[in-house]
Amino acid sequence: MKLLEERIIKDGKVFPGNVLKVDRFLNHQVDVKLLNEIGKEFYRLFGDKEVNKIFTIEASGIGIACIVAQYFDVPVVFAKKTLGKNISADVYSTPITSFTHGRTYDVIVSQEFLNPEDKILIIDDFLAQGCALQGLINLIKSAGAEIVGAGIVIEKAFQQGGELIRSQGIRVESLARVKSMSDDGTITFCD
Ligand code: 5GP
């Protein structure tokens, strides 16, 4: 998505450890007009499929998912991160290790909100090593629901997450695929 790539070049910042900061428009300050274009693009890609729920993970995924959901006219469910030891019986849970924070969370979703008849589109901001996306997939599988696909805003294609998830036969559509990032701030994209 050209508009997104241009914005990443203009406002993205490369940090040590392969972290791309997009706090100016996606992860801290949010450009809602751009999000609206992102929502439109995900609808163009997945709108011909039956989707009855958008699923994401707190916190950064929620705003994006809500805009996407307006195009599909379906609700958003988001998985919650918890460090709590007592996970109640009425939730599905899975561990996720955060790429940016380096810690492991249990991620939960109430069994009330994921059902076997659901057809789910996953939305998230980044795909790096694939741990977050794999966690969301695990939760959907626990519920016996169908995964229509995953819509990712920025995939760091030089990390293995894309390969990990696509090799499971899951359709992953990323609006910007970063091919390389260097410490001097240069960012290139896959064709
Ligand atoms: P993964 O689990 O695929 O390694 O990482 C995905 C999650 O980590 C995303 O939900 C995102 O919040 C965060 N993340 C991974 N890489 C980056 C990055 O380069 N920049 C930012 N801002 N977040 C990232």
Side-chain angles (χ1 to χ4, degrees):
M1 184 180 170
K2 202 90 204 125
L3 187 67
L4 176 64
E5 290 183 359
E6 285 167 4
R7 192 60 181 271
I8 293 169
I9 297 287
K10 180 168 165 270
D11 282 335
K13 289 200 169 58
V14 180
F15 279 69
N18 282 329
V19 173
L20 174 61
K21 285 269 187 189
V22 286
D23 284 2
R24 284 191 171 190
F25 60 95
L26 194 66
N27 284 151
H28 199 21
Q29 174 170 262
V30 177
D31 182 337
V32 180
K33 262 194 175 168
L34 178 65
L35 275 202
N36 202 41
E37 293 306 312
I38 286 169
K40 218 182 274 177
E41 183 63 7
F42 282 134
Y43 189 70
R44 189 185 69 77
L45 291 164
F46 289 104
D48 61 335
K49 300 282 179 291
E50 198 186 333
V51 170
N52 77 324
K53 229 166 248 181
I54 307 284
F55 190 42
T56 188
I57 180 166
E58 67 178 2
S60 309
I62 298 173
I64 305 161
C66 286
I67 301 263
V68 177
Q70 285 196 306
Y71 282 94
F72 285 85
D73 195 19
V74 298
V76 172
V77 176
F78 62 91
K80 298 184 173 194
K81 295 170 184 163
T82 169
L83 291 170
K85 294 175 188 69
N86 299 319
I87 295 177
S88 63
D90 57 353
V91 299
Y92 299 113
S93 79
T94 189
I96 288 183
T97 301
S98 160
F99 175 76
T100 39
H101 300 116
R103 69 198 297 186
T104 300
Y105 302 86
D106 280 315
V107 174
I108 59 156
V109 62
S110 170
Q111 293 183 2
E112 184 182 351
F113 302 127
L114 287 188
N115 304 296
E117 62 273 17
D118 285 336
K119 297 178 190 311
I120 297 179
L121 175 62
I122 303 170
I123 295 289
D124 204 6
D125 58 346
F126 271 91
L127 176 56
Q129 289 172 328
C131 197
L133 189 49
Q134 185 67 62
L136 294 177
I137 290 165
N138 294 346
L139 293 173
I140 296 170
K141 286 191 170 164
S142 300
E146 184 185 323
I147 301 165
V148 174
I152 302 295
V153 180
I154 303 171
E155 175 180 346
K156 292 186 292 180
F158 56 87
Q159 293 181 268
Q160 67 269 40
E163 167 73 26
L164 174 80
I165 305 299
R166 289 185 181 99
S167 68
Q168 297 166 41
I170 293 169
R171 179 179 170 198
V172 180
E173 298 281 357
S174 304
L175 302 190
R177 298 186 75 229
V178 177
K179 187 172 168 188
S180 69
M181 313 192 302
S182 58
D183 289 343
D184 69 2
T186 310
I187 300 166
T188 65
F189 296 96
C190 303
D191 296 328

